[in-house]
Amino acid sequence: MRDRVKLFLHILSGLLICMPLPGMAQTMTRPEHVEPGFWWVGMKSDQLQLMLHGRQIAEYVPHIDYPGVRIKAVHKLANPNYLFIDLQISPYTKAGKFDIRLNQGTQNLSVPYELKAREKGAADRAGFGPADVILNLMPDRFANGNTANDQLPGFGDKLDRSDASAGRHGGDLQGIRDHLDYIASMGYTMIWPTPVIENKQKTYSYHGYAATDYYQVDARFGSNEEYRQLVAAARKQGIGVIQDIVLNHIGDGHWWLKDLPSPDWLSFNSQFVPTYHARTTVADPYASAIDKKNFTQGWFDAHMPDMNQQNPLVANYQIQNTIWWIEYARLSGIRADTYGYSDAAFLTKWSGRIMQEYPHLTMVGEEWSDNPNLVAYWLAGKTNANGYVSHMPSMMDYPLHDTLRKALVAPENLHSGFATLYEALINDQLYPAPARMVLFEGNHDVSRLYSALDEDLDLFKMAVTYVATMPRTPQFYYGTEILMTSTKHRDDGAFRKDFPGGWAGDTVNAFTGQGLNAKQQEAQAYIKKLLNWRKNASTIHSGRLMHFAPQEGMYVYFRYDQKHKFMVVMNKNMSETELTTARFSEILPANAKAKDVLSGQQFEQMHQIKVPARGVLLMEIM
């Protein structure tokens, strides 16, 4: 009995020693977060800023003893649970591991850190461009390759395939990897998945645009390592990966929201003020200061807090995060969501730093506007009236996308239909490099192409041919090739249905063709042949364009260089139409012959050609 009492008193005394006294801070054993978790030697910039987060960490003094690495500055914020450490890394520093020692009086902590060696050629990695074709897909809605990660502890929203609008459906990185052969066979050379990083929101997290951890892939999609493996597997199939990132906002489930670094970490002192989406204020010479501030600092949504990029620590965090993912995952490009909503000065710095590290990489921004002046404002090389300078190589071509869809369903006359498509190309003079603009037939935010064109397969073929043959970088949306449908009005669930065949038990399988109807099979075969032909059509990648004013319901244009010429004819008439070609003589030789590259049809003479009703011809001129 006496021994049991002694044991009890011994345990109790140990517990009392470990328990903090009232008013006394608890001892930190190690930081909860160290970001970025590792870095690389040999980067263009010799600067690295670490964010350490842990209980009362600001009370500690950091020390590093590693050849070539020195602490330049330490930043403490209003919240003592954060410490920012500025490092300078000599260009001669060798890759290796070391400890960041944290001292507070007699307390000493060691935080392991690593500087990795860069892969050979990492700085010179090539981006995407007009020789590529991009496939945009939503990982949650494409294919479920690993059912074990469908529902995981700690994540709020549950699997519910019956809820197309907000439910998670279980698609993941493994599902994409399982079907890389299909993607490659269709002729795509790049994939752009919507964001894959963690979105631990209570609901509506499947889309990925409300980040809750900038450095972790969402576990329901897979792991960071699985993401790297996907990129590597895609590269073996001749496919690059473009990462979708969101600079403007995060999700309110982000761990920062539980312990903000400072009141000004988020815009409007971390208080919800909605943006009114007045996007033209960034360049409008007459815009009021209050409207300009509201557009870039207003919150995108009550559950999507706006990042205050005027705070230099926030700005540097986001710049480093983008570089980290490019280097870690070996990316071929970046797609930046809600681009213009971010602070303009920050965007100059961000785009400049990325291009400094990766001069051949491609980044494309989203400026959802049909105003080409506004879209062009963000492009590298654009001379803006207000002097704004950008380093962004590319933007999504929303103006031409919108015009294409409207033109194809509009009646043909001098001011409608093909005429508007013809006139829209004058806007190319606003773009420093039009071919780098990404022209898309659809994406996760707009109605399905087939539905937008009133489920007309002939118009559909015209649209995809136009996207594939314009001097642009073309992008297609998953399911377009099998005529997936949706509402015409905004309905995200309708735009983002599951790709058939991506789930066990699907009665239709688009990967194999099982269950597709005749029109779906025809559309899939058409796009497959078109895109695979395009892979080796260097004239389409880099040649010039000449087009002719539409007449009698037909639109004709040529892509050409010193070696090859291609002629595209689109006919919206309801009957076969005879096209007299005399007015094309400046580019079409009198003795020309031609061959349709998709159907194989031969044209022994080109003085007059018969164009099928509601048809499109894509001819190589002999």
Side-chain angles (χ1 to χ4, degrees):
M1 180 69 177
R2 187 177 298 171
D3 291 339
R4 290 182 181 177
V5 171
K6 284 183 179 180
L7 177 61
F8 173 76
L9 292 173
H10 175 73
I11 294 172
L12 181 61
S13 64
L15 290 171
L16 290 172
I17 291 171
C18 293
M19 289 174 63
L21 295 173
M24 182 184 217
Q26 296 182 39
T27 302
M28 181 182 65
T29 56
R30 61 164 289 127
E32 295 178 37
H33 299 94
V34 178
E35 294 179 343
F38 54 83
W39 200 247
W40 296 266
V41 296
M43 304 296 283
K44 293 283 181 65
S45 173
D46 62 357
Q47 307 296 305
L48 173 62
Q49 187 172 81
L50 301 179
M51 183 191 76
L52 277 63
H53 172 239
R55 192 181 305 114
Q56 299 294 318
I57 197 169
E59 297 179 4
Y60 289 78
V61 179
H63 302 275
I64 292 176
D65 183 14
Y66 189 78
V69 180
R70 74 179 184 91
I71 295 177
K72 284 186 62 179
V74 175
H75 307 276
K76 299 180 181 181
L77 307 184
N79 186 341
N81 294 338
Y82 287 86
L83 191 67
F84 286 77
I85 306 172
D86 292 350
L87 302 183
Q88 185 172 33
I89 303 170
S90 162
Y92 306 106
T93 304
K94 294 183 178 180
K97 298 178 180 180
F98 56 89
D99 286 335
I100 304 170
R101 291 181 289 108
L102 300 173
N103 304 124
Q104 181 198 29
T106 59
Q107 295 182 27
N108 297 290
L109 299 176
S110 291
V111 179
Y113 203 77
E114 182 177 6
L115 292 174
K116 297 177 179 287
R118 301 186 75 182
E119 289 190 357
K120 185 178 180 180
D124 298 319
R125 70 184 69 228
F128 58 89
D132 290 297
V133 180
I134 303 167
L135 173 65
N136 171 218
L137 57 84
M138 298 202 80
D140 184 63
R141 305 294 170 89
F142 186 66
N144 189 350
N146 179 10
T147 57
N149 62 24
D150 288 353
Q151 296 186 117
L152 298 174
F155 290 87
D157 48 352
K158 304 302 181 184
L159 194 73
D160 185 359
R161 284 190 71 194
S162 67
D163 183 357
S165 178
R168 291 196 77 95
H169 292 192
D172 48 34
L173 299 178
Q174 186 61 50
I176 300 172
R177 187 174 177 180
D178 288 346
H179 298 292
L180 286 173
D181 54 347
Y182 170 81
I183 294 171
S185 72
M186 286 298 299
Y188 301 111
T189 61
M190 291 280 161
I191 53 174
W192 152 34
T194 50
V196 298
I197 64 172
E198 184 189 274
N199 271 233
K200 196 180 281 188
Q201 295 289 96
K202 292 180 179 178
T203 58
Y204 198 59
S205 70
Y206 75 91
H207 53 74
Y209 290 99
T212 57
D213 190 322
Y214 269 118
Y215 281 96
Q216 291 295 325
V217 166
D218 194 295
R220 293 163 295 183
F221 289 147
S223 66
N224 285 16
E225 180 56 30
E226 286 175 302
Y227 184 48
R228 274 169 55 94
Q229 292 170 1
L230 168 63
V231 175
R235 186 179 294 111
K236 289 181 179 179
Q237 298 250 28
I239 300 169
V241 176
I242 302 165
Q243 182 158 317
D244 200 344
I245 68 170
V246 187
L247 299 168
N248 179 68
H249 53 266
I250 57 175
D252 61 0
H254 196 291
W255 62 265
W256 279 330
L257 273 291
K258 299 175 183 175
D259 193 25
L260 277 175
S262 60
D264 66 344
W265 196 253
L266 305 175
S267 298
F268 282 108
N269 245 16
S270 301
Q271 300 300 310
F272 171 58
V273 175
T275 181
Y276 294 113
H277 306 282
R279 61 187 72 248
T280 57
T281 56
V282 296
D284 182 356
Y286 314 112
S288 65
I290 192 170
D291 287 342
K292 289 182 179 181
K293 179 178 180 179
N294 173 269
F295 174 61
T296 58
Q297 297 185 37
W299 291 25
F300 200 76
D301 182 271
H303 298 291
M304 292 179 171
D306 192 85
M307 298 299 294
N308 178 20
Q309 293 147 344
Q310 294 181 3
N311 180 326
L313 297 177
V314 172
N316 204 46
Y317 181 97
Q318 291 192 312
I319 290 169
Q320 289 184 169
N321 178 254
T322 303
I323 293 171
W324 189 90
W325 278 111
I326 295 169
E327 192 76 13
Y328 169 76
R330 308 161 190 158
L331 300 174
S332 295
I334 292 291
R335 185 261 184 186
D337 183 68
T338 53
Y339 190 74
Y341 284 82
S342 290
D343 180 77
F346 160 75
L347 290 175
T348 296
K349 186 176 181 181
W350 175 82
S351 59
R353 275 286 288 114
I354 307 308
M355 297 313 296
Q356 177 194 22
E357 290 289 352
Y358 307 100
H360 307 297
L361 193 80
T362 310
M363 300 188 295
V364 58
E366 178 201 37
E367 178 58 83
W368 193 345
S369 171
D370 59 5
N371 185 337
N373 285 283
L374 182 57
V375 174
Y377 180 78
W378 300 111
L379 288 168
K382 176 68 167 61
T383 301
N384 289 308
N386 63 2
Y388 181 74
V389 175
S390 175
H391 305 285
M392 201 67 174
S394 175
M395 296 294 291
M396 305 298 296
D397 197 345
Y398 272 92
L400 193 54
H401 155 83
D402 187 61
T403 302
L404 173 62
R405 286 184 163 208
K406 290 177 179 177
L408 288 176
V409 295
E412 285 299 309
N413 58 54
L414 287 175
H415 308 291
S416 175
F418 284 141
T420 59
L421 198 56
Y422 173 81
E423 292 179 355
L425 290 181
I426 195 175
N427 296 319
D428 276 20
Q429 65 186 319
L430 300 172
Y431 307 138
R436 301 197 76 178
M437 297 286 286
V438 175
L439 176 60
F440 56 104
E441 50 75 24
N443 65 27
H444 58 283
D445 284 327
V446 298
S447 61
R448 288 284 181 175
L449 177 66
Y450 190 50
S451 295
L453 300 180
D454 299 325
E455 300 192 12
D456 185 319
L457 184 57
D458 295 325
L459 295 180
F460 173 90
K461 288 181 180 180
M462 292 183 204
V464 297
T465 303
Y466 184 89
V467 170
T469 57
M470 274 289 107
R472 290 293 191 274
T473 301
Q475 176 250 294
F476 290 78
Y477 186 41
Y478 81 98
T480 292
E481 74 272 29
I482 56 164
L483 307 179
M484 286 181 69
T485 59
S486 71
T487 58
K488 290 186 178 182
H489 62 269
R490 181 67 188 257
D491 182 345
D492 288 347
F495 304 165
R496 305 167 182 177
K497 295 174 184 174
D498 294 344
F499 191 75
W503 280 256
D506 283 358
T507 55
V508 176
N509 188 333
F511 296 116
T512 64
Q514 176 187 339
L516 295 179
N517 63 39
K519 283 189 175 181
Q520 288 177 313
Q521 292 176 8
E522 183 179 349
Q524 189 180 49
Y526 186 87
I527 289 183
K528 183 176 183 177
K529 193 164 189 177
L530 174 67
L531 299 188
N532 278 287
W533 163 79
R534 191 187 188 280
K535 278 185 179 181
N536 299 310
S538 59
T539 305
I540 304 299
H541 305 161
S542 57
R544 300 177 67 185
L545 168 71
M546 182 183 293
H547 66 158
F548 292 81
Q551 291 183 4
E552 298 177 346
M554 289 185 288
Y555 182 29
V556 177
Y557 59 89
F558 292 80
R559 298 298 312 280
Y560 63 101
D561 57 22
Q562 291 183 341
K563 294 183 178 180
H564 301 283
K565 290 180 183 178
F566 294 91
M567 179 181 182
V568 179
V569 183
M570 293 189 288
N571 176 23
K572 283 171 68 176
N573 294 306
M574 300 304 292
S575 59
E576 181 182 81
T577 306
E578 196 165 83
L579 175 66
T580 302
T581 63
R583 71 185 183 109
F584 312 136
S585 61
E586 64 188 280
I587 191 169
L588 184 64
N591 61 345
K593 297 181 180 182
K595 178 182 178 181
D596 189 287
V597 300
L598 299 182
S599 70
Q601 180 183 357
Q602 300 279 352
F603 296 84
E604 294 300 324
Q605 60 81 30
M606 294 292 290
H607 302 297
Q608 288 184 323
I609 57 176
K610 293 181 178 180
V611 186
R614 309 285 280 181
V616 56
L617 298 176
L618 171 52
M619 298 173 286
E620 182 175 9
I621 306 301
M622 305 299 184

